Amino acid sequence: DNEDDKDNEEDKDNEDDKDNEDDKDNEGDKPQPSAPVEETDSLVGEWVGTIDMAEMLNMLFESADMDFMTISKFKVEMRVEFKKNGNFAMELDEDSFWKALNDAMPDMVSDLEGYLEANGVTAEDFEAQNGMTIEEYLTTYYEASLSPDILNSNGKYTLDGTKLYMDEEDNYYLIDLTGDELQLLSYSGDDGGLNDMLFGDVVFKRQ
């Protein structure tokens, strides 16, 4: 009986080995990802970084003939989530966006006051004409014209080595991914320098 049991166990082991070899052969027939699986998986998750939107907003002021107004800093928390199914979502944190606007308000009020006074209009004149102070006017204006979703986006992503594709074009971000830190170093498309303004020195950290 013991010899029969031993033979049965050997037969079972041989069958298991054969099944493993067959599975290995079948895996070779499957389509391979453009980047190693471990590299793609290392991007999956939620990443948070703090971007400075000041330069971008100053460009908007200039295009609206408001170049007398400048912002020295406008730091907002940005979250980027990469999912296993190939979808991504990028969004600004609303609380930090409105805090940045509030922090920038004194400089913007001072700039507008200076511009008005240079054109013969005092802060008191402005309030009498508009029924609100300069700060109230700017707060109302920017709360209506600016939105935390100004940079929000979502869609499909693919990772090919150090090239991260996040749009429907052939453009990509050149990234530096080291452990739990991610940087978007440069952008291959013509974005008017937006990537350098927003992401150039930003380190996104895995949550």
Side-chain angles (χ1 to χ4, degrees):
D1 288 341
N2 290 337
E3 288 179 0
D4 289 341
D5 291 340
K6 186 177 179 182
D7 289 340
N8 289 335
E9 288 176 0
E10 287 177 355
D11 289 340
K12 185 177 180 182
D13 289 341
N14 290 335
E15 287 178 0
D16 289 340
D17 290 341
K18 186 174 186 299
D19 288 340
N20 289 335
E21 289 176 1
D22 289 341
D23 288 342
K24 189 174 180 181
D25 290 339
N26 290 334
E27 286 178 359
D29 296 333
K30 295 178 182 178
Q32 298 300 306
S34 57
V37 172
E38 63 271 19
E39 183 177 348
T40 301
D41 285 351
S42 67
L43 191 62
V44 171
E46 185 177 42
W47 303 79
V48 176
T50 301
I51 66 172
D52 191 345
M53 298 174 60
E55 191 173 352
M56 184 191 82
L57 293 176
N58 289 336
M59 286 182 64
L60 293 177
F61 293 153
E62 186 174 353
S63 65
D65 293 327
M66 296 172 61
D67 53 353
F68 57 85
M69 189 177 295
T70 57
I71 296 176
S72 59
K73 68 177 181 179
F74 199 97
K75 295 193 174 183
V76 183
E77 185 179 277
M78 172 173 274
R79 294 179 177 272
V80 186
E81 183 180 9
F82 297 100
K83 298 181 179 180
K84 265 187 172 294
N85 63 6
N87 292 330
F88 80 90
M90 176 184 288
E91 62 181 27
L92 296 178
D93 177 74
E94 288 195 25
D95 290 340
S96 66
F97 180 88
W98 295 122
K99 181 181 184 303
L101 181 61
N102 186 64
D103 292 344
M105 191 58 65
D107 286 342
M108 292 193 292
V109 169
S110 178
D111 289 341
L112 183 51
E113 281 182 347
Y115 174 79
L116 292 172
E117 288 178 2
N119 288 274
V121 180
T122 66
E124 292 76 16
D125 293 336
F126 182 90
E127 184 174 355
Q129 293 169 7
N130 295 277
M132 63 180 73
T133 65
I134 289 176
E135 181 173 352
E136 290 170 341
Y137 170 83
L138 288 174
T139 299
T140 301
Y141 175 79
Y142 285 115
E143 285 183 351
S145 60
L146 287 179
S147 171
D149 64 7
I150 188 173
L151 293 175
N152 291 2
S153 64
N154 58 75
K156 293 285 187 180
Y157 77 92
T158 56
L159 180 64
D160 184 3
T162 57
K163 296 178 180 179
L164 174 61
Y165 296 84
M166 295 175 67
D167 59 31
E168 295 178 356
E169 306 296 332
D170 291 330
N171 301 319
Y172 59 85
Y173 289 98
L174 187 65
I175 69 168
D176 181 18
L177 177 58
T178 307
D180 292 332
E181 295 188 347
L182 168 68
Q183 279 187 282
L184 307 180
L185 300 176
S186 62
Y187 185 65
S188 66
D190 182 10
D191 65 350
L194 188 63
N195 180 80
D196 290 340
M197 290 180 202
L198 297 176
F199 305 128
D201 297 322
V202 177
V203 177
F204 289 89
K205 295 185 180 294
R206 190 195 304 274
Q207 299 305 290

